[in-house]
Amino acid sequence: MVKVRLNQDKNFVEEFKKTLSSNDGYCPCRIEKTEDTKCMCAEFRKMIVNGVVGECHCGLYYTERIE
């Protein structure tokens, strides 16, 4: 099982959230604006469901294994 965490760099998170807001919630790292690229993107949601440890494409979130 994994737990979702927010990036620990508070400045990065603050700036990234501003960018997300100005991009209607779509990941600014992606060109297409679809439901799959809305933050949390489909790619990261699949990682959570599958219990994969790692970070999302843009680095805002990451997962860590919990026991």
Side-chain angles (χ1 to χ4, degrees):
M1 180 174 272
V2 295
K3 182 172 186 164
V4 176
R5 300 277 188 174
L6 195 58
N7 187 313
Q8 294 178 340
D9 182 338
K10 293 179 193 240
N11 292 327
F12 171 80
V13 170
E14 184 179 313
E15 290 302 314
F16 197 86
K17 285 186 174 185
K18 288 178 188 175
T19 303
L20 269 178
S21 180
S22 68
N23 204 30
D24 296 325
Y26 293 97
C27 180
C29 302
R30 306 292 185 160
I31 295 172
E32 294 181 40
K33 289 187 177 182
T34 67
E35 283 305 308
D36 286 347
T37 62
K38 195 99 165 176
C39 191
M40 291 181 171
C41 66
E43 181 181 342
F44 189 64
R45 291 191 308 262
K46 287 178 190 173
M47 285 176 62
I48 296 167
V49 169
N50 293 322
V52 176
V53 174
E55 65 179 34
C56 67
H57 188 264
C58 62
L60 182 61
Y61 298 104
Y62 66 96
T63 56
E64 63 183 19
R65 188 153 317 278
I66 58 172
E67 300 301 321

